Amino acid sequence: MSLSDIEPVSRESTAGIIARQLRDAIMTGALPPGTQLGETDLAARFQVSRGPLREAMQHLVSEGLLRSERHRGLFVIDLGPGDVYDIYSARWAIERAALLRALRGDREGVAAVLEQAVAEMATAAGEDDPAALSSADLRFHEALIEASGSKRLVRMARTLLIETRMCLAALQGTYQRVEERVEEHTHIIDALRAGDETKALALLEAHMDDAVQRLAPGTSLTQHEVPPIG
């Protein structure tokens, strides 16, 4: 058999479908942090045998979204201050690289794509729809990373952005004015469009550091003492 004999897979596997639905439930908060996943209940809910269910859950363990406790089972991860710091510091490294590529490439094209996400954020803010606001917020950052043209940056960011969505559910309650989130993203676009590298990077870092301080008071991306993870 040669590589030319390999045929494309036409359908997503049962385990893949289950993993995707569980991932979405974790991301949106339908399965909150700390939730224990029972095989019997989930197998009945998905109407599948335990084989594909276990395979799906192991995918999420490898992605870091589920944790295994000996003799107790699987749980949705909890995000403590150290985890929040870790997520956002890793994101800062990835998105800084993506933003630098955008600044040195088609700035106007990237800015136009990012503005679509900000427009969705503004609409959600106006309609007082926190879930839609968080989804649009995430799309902004996904679009920035995708605009880098780097498959590796996109791949590295995938799980981080799912964990970020978990953070956003808590973050949305910390703003007195939801318009603040829209404004922060708009300022980043303005600096990108102007080609002001120093300002754009500073705004992106400040945006992430603000989220860290809101989610984990006393913690900062710029602090010297790093909080323990987990």
Side-chain angles (χ1 to χ4, degrees):
M1 180 177 179
S2 67
L3 288 176
S4 61
D5 296 319
I6 296 177
E7 297 181 355
V9 176
S10 58
R11 291 190 299 123
E12 187 177 11
S13 69
T14 300
I17 294 170
I18 295 170
R20 174 167 49 79
Q21 292 193 35
L22 289 175
R23 192 181 295 112
D24 289 345
I26 292 170
M27 183 173 67
T28 59
L31 285 174
T35 300
Q36 184 173 13
L37 301 187
E39 283 189 9
T40 301
D41 290 342
L42 286 175
R45 186 179 297 273
F46 284 112
Q47 297 184 358
V48 296
S49 64
R50 294 194 180 189
L53 177 62
R54 286 174 178 167
E55 182 182 345
M57 292 197 292
Q58 284 307 310
H59 279 312
L60 300 189
V61 169
S62 67
E63 291 177 8
L65 297 177
L66 296 180
R67 57 181 170 82
S68 177
E69 291 191 13
R70 189 176 178 83
H71 303 308
R72 293 195 64 205
L74 296 175
F75 297 80
V76 178
I77 59 168
D78 294 289
L79 298 177
D83 299 292
V84 171
Y85 175 92
D86 199 39
I87 290 166
Y88 278 87
S89 60
R91 278 187 56 202
W92 162 237
I94 291 170
E95 294 192 37
R96 181 183 187 279
L99 184 55
L100 282 171
R101 290 191 180 208
L103 282 159
R104 297 165 188 175
D106 179 14
R107 298 197 307 269
E108 187 59 41
V110 176
V113 171
L114 297 180
E115 282 178 333
Q116 293 178 13
V118 172
E120 292 176 13
M121 290 179 67
T123 298
E127 295 175 353
D128 193 23
D129 187 340
L133 178 59
S134 292
S135 294
D137 187 332
L138 203 63
R139 275 194 291 277
F140 176 97
H141 295 279
E142 287 175 328
L144 174 60
I145 296 165
E146 289 169 1
S148 72
S150 169
K151 291 183 287 187
R152 289 171 179 81
L153 289 179
V154 171
R155 186 168 65 242
M156 287 190 294
R158 190 168 295 128
T159 299
L160 285 171
L161 290 176
I162 294 171
E163 292 176 318
T164 298
R165 184 64 176 84
M166 296 170 68
C167 292
L168 291 178
L171 187 64
Q172 62 194 19
T174 68
Y175 286 91
Q176 291 184 334
R177 294 174 49 251
V178 292
E179 292 82 3
E180 289 178 64
R181 290 171 69 177
V182 178
E183 291 164 1
E184 287 179 10
H185 291 79
T186 299
H187 293 326
I188 293 171
I189 294 174
D190 291 342
L192 166 63
R193 180 172 273 126
D196 190 333
E197 182 175 306
T198 300
K199 185 175 182 180
L201 292 174
L203 286 169
L204 180 62
E205 183 178 26
H207 171 61
M208 292 196 174
D209 191 46
D210 178 68
V212 170
Q213 292 187 51
R214 289 173 183 274
L215 291 166
T219 304
S220 169
L221 287 180
T222 58
Q223 69 181 17
H224 297 294
E225 183 179 350
V226 178
I229 298 173

